[in-house]
């Protein structure tokens, strides 16, 4: 597995033909050109993890959408898409090229979510999306990465992976497109191009939410009636030219994250 220039650090896990997990260097900050050390660590677990495990869960289950009524009876009721809304896609992708693309895109979304920072949720994700012959070893690697106290402290989270009081942890992946580069009856290679958001929103945050662009190539296998991940490769970009737009305030960013729920990307 190749992680690209963003993950050139020591502490790799796995050997030839295996997915490797890169942990933070001794100082807790692997190199990342043009980014802060905490952002580099984010990439190591927030993005690398997203690439080595996968599941077609839409978003974490929880309360329904919050609704707000207008001031008069003539105004229609409105409701925000809750980030913890019903999962529109769970598993069981079609046994064809389109199904493989849907699986890869949805896996990228869930592996880039903040659910990966919760042990129980992470186990649920890994057990559901990895091929049975690799799931156990991946679970061990991921648990080790997410229990790394230096890493958690560097991105501003506590020992349980929770954000400080008054701040909101943001970790999302938004696929832009997918393509199949190889396909057979039981194997598929799918590339997913996506942008990711990661950081802490809040007035006192020292790790503001930033965006990055990557392309991940997933190796999928058809097993037990569904597509499962066996390995991946990730590289930077393509990265679009940024527009001259003013960054939103921490308050606006927090409000957006709370009011706009994440999406799944089944085709």
């Amino acid at each position: 597995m190749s992680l690209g220039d963003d993950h050139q650090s020591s502490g790799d896990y796995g050997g030839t033909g295996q997915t490797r997990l890169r942990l933070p260097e001794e100082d807790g900050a692997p190199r990342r050109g043009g980014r802060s050390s905490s952002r580099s660590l984010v990439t190591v677990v927030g993005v690398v993890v997203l690439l080595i495990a996968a599941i077609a869960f839409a978003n974490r289950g929880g309360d329904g959408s919050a609704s707000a009524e207008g001031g008069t009876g003539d105004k229609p009721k409105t409701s925000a898409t809750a980030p913890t809304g019903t999962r529109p896609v769970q598993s069981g992708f079609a046994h064809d090229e389109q199904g493989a693309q849907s699986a890869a895109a949805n896996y990228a979304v869930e592996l880039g979510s903040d659910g990966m920072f919760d042990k129980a949720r992470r186990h649920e994700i890994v057990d559901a999306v990895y091929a049975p012959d690799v799931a156990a070893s991946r679970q061990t690697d991921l648990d080790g990465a997410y229990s790394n106290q230096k890493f958690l402290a560097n991105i501003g989270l506590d020992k349980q992976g929770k954000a400080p009081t008054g701040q909101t942890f943001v970790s999302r992946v938004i696929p832009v497109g997918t393509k199949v580069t190889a396909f057979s009856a039981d194997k598929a290679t799918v590339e997913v191009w996506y942008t990711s958001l990661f950081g802490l929103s809040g007035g006192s945050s020292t790790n503001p939410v930033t965006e990055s662009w990557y392309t991940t190539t997933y190796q999928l296998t058809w097993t037990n009636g569904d597509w499962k991940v066996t390995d991946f490769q990730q590289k930077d970009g393509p990265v679009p030219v940024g527009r001259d737009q003013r960054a939103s305030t921490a308050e606006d960013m927090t409000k957006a994250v709370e009011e706009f729920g994440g999406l799944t990307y089944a085709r």
Side-chain angles (χ1 to χ4, degrees):
M1 178 201 73
S2 172
L3 298 181
D5 294 337
D6 272 319
H7 309 291
Q8 295 177 356
S9 62
S10 60
D12 298 351
Y13 276 45
T16 303
Q18 297 179 324
T19 298
R20 300 177 296 169
L21 175 64
R22 297 178 183 262
L23 296 178
E25 294 180 348
E26 293 183 359
D27 63 356
R31 295 292 181 182
R32 177 176 170 81
R35 298 285 186 182
S36 65
S37 60
S38 60
R39 181 57 180 163
S40 298
L41 291 172
V42 164
T43 304
V44 173
V45 174
V47 175
V48 171
V49 168
L50 128 78
L51 305 173
I52 61 178
I55 186 172
F57 287 26
N59 287 292
R60 292 176 298 165
D63 298 335
S65 298
S67 62
E69 298 186 17
T72 67
D74 295 333
K75 293 184 179 180
K77 297 180 180 180
T78 61
S79 62
T81 303
T84 54
T86 302
R87 300 176 183 131
V89 175
Q90 297 191 36
S91 62
F93 295 98
H95 193 186
D96 54 23
E97 292 190 18
Q98 182 168 293
Q101 291 180 75
S102 295
N106 280 276
Y107 293 168
V109 169
E110 195 59 28
L111 283 169
S113 73
D114 56 1
M116 290 299 292
F117 287 78
D118 177 82
K119 185 176 181 179
R121 175 65 177 144
R122 181 171 66 252
H123 285 193
E124 184 182 41
I125 291 173
V126 174
D127 288 342
V129 304
Y130 270 129
D133 59 340
V134 301
S137 62
R138 296 300 180 266
Q139 191 71 268
T140 299
D141 289 346
L142 294 174
D143 283 345
Y146 281 103
S147 63
N148 186 307
Q149 299 303 304
K150 186 177 292 186
F151 160 71
L152 293 173
N154 221 318
I155 62 174
L157 303 181
D158 64 19
K159 294 180 179 180
Q160 285 71 48
K162 303 298 183 181
T165 301
Q167 297 185 34
T168 301
F169 179 47
V170 182
S171 182
R172 292 191 187 182
V173 157
I174 306 95
V176 176
T178 62
K179 71 174 180 179
V180 174
T181 57
F183 186 83
S184 66
D186 60 352
K187 302 290 183 183
T189 302
V190 180
E191 294 185 6
V192 181
W193 178 35
Y194 62 92
T195 182
S196 68
L197 302 178
F198 195 99
L200 289 169
S201 65
S204 59
S205 173
T206 58
N207 296 297
V209 179
T210 58
E211 68 171 337
S212 299
W213 290 82
Y214 301 96
T215 296
T216 298
T217 301
Y218 287 99
Q219 303 298 328
L220 304 175
T221 185
W222 184 257
T223 181
N224 297 327
D226 206 356
W227 291 109
K228 302 293 182 180
V229 173
T230 59
D231 205 350
F232 77 93
Q233 291 182 320
Q234 178 255 331
K235 63 182 181 180
D236 286 355
V239 181
V241 176
R243 294 181 60 86
D244 185 17
Q245 291 181 289
R246 177 184 299 177
S248 297
T249 64
E251 180 181 359
D252 287 343
M253 182 62 68
T254 299
K255 183 178 180 181
V257 171
E258 293 175 346
E259 293 182 351
F260 290 87
L263 303 173
T264 53
Y265 289 81
R267 298 169 66 87

